[in-house]
Amino acid sequence: ASSCFGSWRRETQIAKREALLASERLAQETARSELFEQLELERERAASEVERLRRALFEETQQRTLLQENLKRVFMRGVCALNFEATVLLLK
């Protein structure tokens, strides 16, 4: 009877350990899956932010180029006007 009880006790302890290990593995797998989901969401957010910043940079570059072209045009008009006035003064 003692050996029968000892055998049953060992099997019960082994089954309990295996159940505990399975539970821990499941918890670890769940945590791992959640981490991967969070990483994927963060990657998508980062990619979206990079694209938004890329568009903003492109728009800023276009605005700066347009501003520089307009500034050149205004400066050249001023230079031409000064040259015209100088020519008028020299001809008088």
Side-chain angles (χ1 to χ4, degrees):
S2 176
S3 73
C4 182
F5 178 71
S7 175
W8 173 83
R9 191 171 128 192
R10 256 192 322 269
E11 288 178 22
T12 304
Q13 288 175 343
I14 289 171
K16 186 178 178 181
R17 253 186 269 137
E18 287 176 355
L20 183 61
L21 281 173
S23 174
E24 288 177 5
R25 284 186 188 128
L26 180 62
Q28 288 175 352
E29 186 60 34
T30 302
R32 183 173 166 253
S33 294
E34 288 173 0
L35 282 174
F36 277 123
E37 287 175 18
Q38 289 174 356
L39 283 171
E40 184 62 24
L41 284 174
E42 187 60 32
R43 188 191 66 76
E44 288 173 6
R45 280 189 214 122
S48 176
E49 181 68 8
V50 165
E51 185 57 34
R52 185 189 69 75
L53 290 172
R54 199 173 278 148
R55 283 193 307 267
L57 180 60
F58 178 73
E59 290 172 12
E60 287 290 326
T61 302
Q62 283 184 323
Q63 289 294 326
R64 183 176 180 173
T65 301
L66 182 62
L67 183 62
Q68 286 176 342
E69 289 173 5
N70 289 339
L71 189 58
K72 276 188 213 175
R73 194 173 303 118
V74 168
F75 181 74
M76 288 306 292
R77 283 183 190 160
V79 169
C80 290
L82 284 174
N83 284 342
F84 179 75
E85 289 295 323
T87 304
V88 168
L89 286 175
L90 289 174
L91 293 176
K92 284 188 180 182

